[in-house]
């Protein structure tokens, strides 16, 4: 092994010793709510396909249709010759859906955060280095975007409005443009940011509010439009409740024009392929019609939380289709995850660095494709686990 490569090998070994190693697992999908691994079927509670749209015939057929009509790839960046006319249709639909003046489709949610945030936090454009007040539990891609911007992040305790207010007060004489950055539904906790309070402090301290709606759009809010209708700029993804791939920014026309001129992830990346755009277009048509599925999803999650608290599991502050069971120790989280697998249930153990140290957990994500039987089975297996532990 090359000397440099041995340093990477050492890192993997360390991860292994701490029960923090990750490995890729080959998966096939026999149905919307199941995965198959090494010939065995599991009910999948680790997918973000909240409405089951990834398997919807309309997403598949429109994807195929647009692929056949326009070709496999878009062949260039949107600013060169990749901007197929269907982008305009999709952006109009998503802007209307999100109640914003305008929208901009991007390649992925991760790539959007990593490239939109540095574009927004440009000190040369803003006249001085901005201050970005960000929730401590924001997604890794938001951190990456802040780091790439080389700005000073002021991190407030998760969803703690008193802390945010204190920090803003401490910086009140700081004559920099100020931003507040949060998720609306937190991906690993399933709790909701107090957005009205955030808008209140933003108004008081003259801040620009950016909200990542990855786990809210399609699932929460009127007709699934999400929760952050009053944010100055929303970042969202088509890879979760929309069942496809890609991302969007919902904002004013000015912000769209600015990002079109400044955002590296738009300027220097090939546009999304036509088949993906077809699936996105179909999902935007379907999502507002799925109130029944949304209600089912929330009821399922609530039943699960009630059952878990009755047997002493801690589901944190979850209020949504994402429900963690807090474990703490990474090895124990892996052990429970293995126990679930032995019983035909797939729930990935979420460990540091994805979550803070000593907060390893099992993260259950419900989908409209889960049946009552699936939920009953999950609850029974977890109850069995508790009995086993107590014995
Ligand atoms: C809050 C949040 N933002 C962004 C992303 C990235 O989105 P995408 O999967 O479209 O790259 C995720 C996905 O895990 C997320 O949870």
């Amino acid at each position: 092994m090359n000397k440099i490569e041995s340093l990477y090998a050492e890192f993997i070994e360390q991860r292994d010793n701490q029960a923090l190693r990750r490995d890729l697992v080959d998966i096939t999908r026999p149905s919307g709510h199941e995965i198959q691994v090494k010939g065995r079927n599991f009910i999948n509670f680790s997918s973000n396909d909240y409405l089951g749209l990834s398997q919807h015939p309309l997403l598949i057929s429109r994807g195929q249709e647009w692929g056949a009509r326009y070709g496999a790839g878009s062949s260039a960046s949107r600013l060169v010759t990749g901007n197929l006319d269907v982008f305009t249709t999709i952006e109009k639909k998503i802007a209307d859906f999100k109640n914003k003046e305008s929208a901009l489709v991007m390649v992925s949610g991760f790539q959007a955060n990593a490239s939109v945030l540095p574009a927004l936090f440009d000190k040369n454009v803003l006249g001085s280095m901005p201050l970005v007040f960000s929730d401590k539990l924001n997604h890794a891609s938001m951190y990456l975007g802040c780091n790439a911007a080389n700005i000073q992040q002021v991190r407030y305790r998760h969803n703690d409005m008193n802390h945010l207010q204190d920090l803003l007060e401490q910086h009140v004489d700081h004559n920099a443009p100020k931003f507040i950055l949060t998720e609306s539904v937190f991906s690993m906790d399933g709790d909701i940011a107090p957005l009205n309070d955030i808008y209140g402090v933003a108004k008081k301290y003259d801040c620009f509010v950016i909200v990542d709606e990855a786990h809210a759009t399609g699932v929460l809010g009127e007709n699934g439009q999400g929760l952050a209708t009053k944010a100055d700029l929303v970042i969202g993804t088509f890879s979760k409740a929309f069942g496809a791939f890609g991302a969007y920014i919902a904002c004013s026309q000015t912000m769209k024009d600015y990002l079109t001129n400044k955002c590296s992830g738009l300027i220097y990346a090939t546009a999304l392929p036509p088949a993906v755009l077809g699936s996105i277009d179909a999902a935007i048509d379907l999502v507002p019609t799925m109130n029944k599925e949304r209600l089912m999803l929330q009821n399922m999650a609530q039943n699960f939380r009630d059952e878990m608290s009755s047997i002493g599991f801690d589901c944190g502050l979850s209020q949504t289709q994402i429900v963690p069971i807090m474990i703490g120790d990474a090895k124990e989280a892996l052990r429970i995850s293995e126990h679930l697998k032995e019983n035909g249930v797939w729930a990935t153990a979420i460990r540091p660095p994805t979550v803070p140290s000593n907060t390893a957990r099992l993260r259950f994500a419900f989908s409209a494709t889960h049946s009552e039987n699936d939920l009953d089975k999950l609850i029974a297996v977890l109850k069995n686990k508790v009995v086993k532990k107590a014995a």
Side-chain angles (χ1 to χ4, degrees):
M1 191 184 295
N2 169 305
K3 208 165 139 198
I4 291 180
E5 203 173 334
S6 68
L7 299 172
Y8 300 125
E10 230 171 79
F11 170 85
I12 301 169
E13 202 182 318
Q14 271 172 19
R15 280 271 170 107
D16 215 2
N17 293 338
Q18 297 164 331
L20 298 178
R21 179 188 171 120
R22 273 87 165 144
D23 285 297
L24 295 169
V25 176
D26 285 353
I27 280 168
T28 56
R29 296 175 75 179
S31 72
H33 69 300
E34 283 179 313
I35 52 170
Q36 191 175 78
V37 179
K38 294 187 179 142
R40 275 194 66 200
N41 282 18
F42 300 87
I43 308 169
N44 181 10
F45 286 100
S46 286
S47 132
N48 299 314
D49 190 10
Y50 304 125
L51 298 174
L53 285 177
S54 76
Q55 306 292 313
H56 195 286
L58 192 65
L59 270 78
I60 296 170
S61 64
R62 202 171 295 173
Q64 287 168 337
E65 207 184 291
W66 288 24
R69 193 188 314 164
Y70 295 102
S74 58
S75 76
S77 148
R78 293 188 60 187
L79 284 174
V80 183
T81 54
N83 196 42
L84 296 171
D85 54 2
V86 288
F87 274 104
T88 304
T89 318
I90 290 175
E91 287 176 344
K92 168 90 177 73
K93 283 187 188 179
I94 198 75
D96 289 349
F97 178 62
K98 298 293 290 182
N99 232 343
K100 291 278 178 226
E101 190 182 10
S102 199
L104 185 66
V105 170
M106 304 275 301
V107 169
S108 79
F110 189 98
Q111 190 249 23
N113 277 326
S115 63
V116 166
L117 298 179
L120 296 178
F121 303 152
D122 188 313
K123 73 175 189 320
N124 295 321
V125 175
L126 296 170
S128 60
M129 193 67 103
L131 277 176
V132 179
F133 295 82
S134 63
D135 189 291
K136 277 198 171 170
L137 294 190
N138 279 344
H139 192 256
S141 55
M142 296 158 93
Y143 277 106
L144 191 70
C146 290
N147 289 343
N150 222 358
I151 43 101
Q152 186 191 346
Q153 265 194 88
V154 186
R155 297 171 70 191
Y156 60 92
R157 286 189 294 271
H158 176 52
N159 276 350
D160 185 336
M161 291 301 100
N162 289 331
H163 194 210
L164 173 60
Q165 159 97 25
D166 284 353
L167 291 171
L168 281 160
E169 195 54 46
Q170 280 171 31
H171 292 86
V172 74
D173 295 327
H174 207 298
N175 207 10
K178 297 185 180 88
F179 293 81
I180 299 175
L181 184 59
T182 184
E183 296 177 35
S184 51
V185 170
F186 283 84
S187 60
M188 296 299 141
D189 292 77
D191 57 348
I192 296 178
L195 290 173
N196 282 334
D197 295 340
I198 289 177
Y199 302 140
V201 285
K203 190 159 182 219
K204 183 168 170 198
Y205 293 95
D206 201 13
C207 303
F208 187 97
V209 179
I210 303 172
V211 181
D212 182 325
E213 288 250 79
H215 299 273
T217 311
V219 179
L220 297 170
E222 202 183 331
N223 295 325
Q225 75 172 170
L227 301 172
T229 42
K230 292 193 212 133
D232 295 299
L233 184 138
V234 171
I235 300 177
T237 173
F238 296 120
S239 67
K240 305 192 192 297
F242 279 67
F245 186 73
Y248 64 85
I249 310 302
C251 56
S252 65
Q253 184 61 44
T254 302
M255 294 313 295
K256 177 176 177 171
D257 290 343
Y258 173 71
L259 290 172
T260 305
N261 282 275
K262 197 73 176 67
C263 176
S264 59
L266 181 89
I267 300 169
Y268 303 111
T270 299
L272 280 176
V276 169
L277 292 170
S279 297
I280 293 173
D281 189 64
I284 303 174
D285 291 347
L286 290 169
V287 164
T289 69
M290 300 182 78
N291 283 336
K292 196 172 95 237
E293 284 81 356
R294 278 185 276 278
L295 186 62
M296 216 176 93
L297 202 51
Q298 296 313 328
N299 288 341
M300 213 178 325
Q302 188 57 50
N303 286 345
F304 180 68
R305 280 190 294 268
D306 292 345
E307 290 284 349
M308 290 304 102
S309 59
S310 77
I311 54 171
F313 271 135
D314 173 10
C315 296
L317 295 173
S318 161
Q319 295 169 263
T320 65
Q321 76 284 2
I322 300 167
V323 187
I325 289 186
M326 309 307 269
I327 305 296
D329 178 54
K331 279 197 181 109
E332 176 66 359
L334 279 179
R335 201 176 66 74
I336 302 177
S337 175
E338 283 307 314
H339 167 79
L340 293 175
K341 281 181 202 162
E342 281 159 21
N343 288 280
V345 167
W346 195 279
T348 307
I350 307 288
R351 295 161 291 157
T354 304
V355 289
S357 308
N358 302 317
T359 70
R361 66 200 67 183
L362 291 154
R363 173 190 184 268
F364 299 89
F366 291 95
S367 160
T369 57
H370 287 131
S371 65
E372 269 183 39
N373 279 348
D374 294 336
L375 180 62
D376 290 347
K377 174 158 186 187
L378 171 64
I379 291 167
V381 174
L382 281 162
K383 282 188 170 171
N384 179 28
K385 152 79 194 61
V386 173
V387 172
K388 271 191 171 173
K389 198 178 171 192

